[in-house]
Amino acid sequence: MYHTAILIEIISVLGTAAFAISAVLAAEKKEIDLFAVMVLGMITAVGGGTIRDCLLDVPIFWAQDLSYIWIALASSIIGFIFFGLLKKKWINRFYLYIDTFAIAMFGIQGTNKAWELGFGIPAGPVLLGVITAVGGGIIRDVLLQRPTLLFSKNLYAIPVTIGCTLHAMMLMLIPEIGSISAIISIALIIYMRHLSINDKITLPEWALLGYRIQKFESYQNK
């Protein structure tokens, strides 16, 4: 149990850092200063969890443990200073996997927290799990006026949704194996993201609205 807690803490730190650094990478083509990068990094790192806790009407998690804020700010500064290094292919790939671990763990954590508080069971915990995982990134992209990963064919929110749904179903049907269910769900999210990172699976064209619009326009012009 002690080693598991340490592992979760390490992933939390790395995940928070990865979310913050993603703000630096996302702002690559924007002429913004260090202060703006720090704000974006902080919003990205804690935004999803903040929305979750507001909806749950519980104390905001980072207000009880400011280490999340300091980690986000420090990571943003480091990312700003060493931006050139972050653009190296192997560093960027490493970041993608840290981000994958983060969204998997934070998504399941969010689902657990909502379930324990009895929020909108069974759909509510799934929704809040997804918000916890991707909410900060969506806010970041809106502020930067750039397309979010939700609007791409790469699998990002879908693996989280599937993992959180599986965990919620297991909590409802076999609550006594909640810990095992969490591990399995996290592993599933990571595996699906791994396949997406390696371009082995993406959304099929027929599932994309743009493709369907093109087909419709093509049909209309005949």
Side-chain angles (χ1 to χ4, degrees):
M1 184 66 70
Y2 174 76
H3 294 296
T4 301
I6 293 295
L7 179 60
I8 291 175
E9 187 66 26
I10 291 172
I11 295 176
S12 295
V13 170
L14 292 176
T16 301
F19 281 167
I21 289 173
S22 74
V24 182
L25 295 171
E28 175 184 2
K29 297 180 180 179
K30 304 289 183 179
E31 294 186 4
I32 61 177
D33 58 20
L34 175 59
F35 178 76
V37 166
M38 291 167 63
V39 172
L40 281 172
M42 184 171 60
I43 289 173
T44 306
V46 304
T50 300
I51 296 172
R52 175 203 64 211
D53 289 346
C54 287
L55 290 173
L56 290 173
D57 195 24
V58 297
I60 307 301
F61 74 101
W62 54 261
Q64 298 179 308
D65 184 0
L66 286 176
S67 62
Y68 289 100
I69 298 297
W70 303 130
I71 291 168
L73 292 176
S75 300
S76 301
I77 295 171
I78 292 171
F80 183 87
I81 295 172
F82 297 103
F83 178 79
L85 182 62
L86 292 176
K87 294 300 292 181
K88 290 185 179 295
K89 187 175 181 179
W90 71 271
I91 290 287
N92 194 44
R93 192 174 186 80
F94 176 72
Y95 150 74
L96 286 174
Y97 278 103
I98 292 297
D99 178 77
T100 294
F101 275 91
I103 63 171
M105 194 194 71
F106 291 159
I108 299 305
Q109 276 186 341
T111 301
N112 266 337
K113 188 169 187 176
W115 192 278
E116 290 172 358
L117 293 173
F119 181 86
I121 293 174
V126 175
L127 176 61
L128 292 195
V130 175
I131 288 174
T132 304
V134 306
I138 293 174
I139 297 172
R140 174 203 64 211
D141 292 338
V142 169
L143 291 175
L144 288 172
Q145 298 181 336
R146 65 190 291 269
T148 74
L149 283 171
L150 292 179
F151 299 156
S152 73
K153 64 180 182 179
N154 292 321
L155 300 184
Y156 193 73
I158 290 177
V160 178
T161 304
I162 292 174
C164 292
T165 300
L166 173 63
H167 186 47
M169 290 176 60
M170 296 298 285
L171 287 175
M172 183 169 58
L173 298 173
I174 321 175
E176 58 270 18
I177 64 166
S179 297
I180 296 174
S181 168
I183 294 171
I184 293 173
S185 300
I186 288 172
L188 176 62
I189 295 170
I190 292 171
Y191 179 66
M192 293 183 68
R193 276 294 293 149
H194 164 71
L195 294 179
S196 183
I197 290 171
N198 287 278
D199 294 325
K200 292 182 179 178
I201 59 168
T202 59
L203 283 176
E205 285 191 339
W206 59 262
L208 301 174
L209 180 59
Y211 172 78
R212 301 187 70 82
I213 290 174
Q214 289 179 3
K215 293 289 286 185
F216 177 75
E217 291 177 344
S218 176
Y219 176 78
Q220 291 284 81
N221 292 331
K222 286 182 179 180

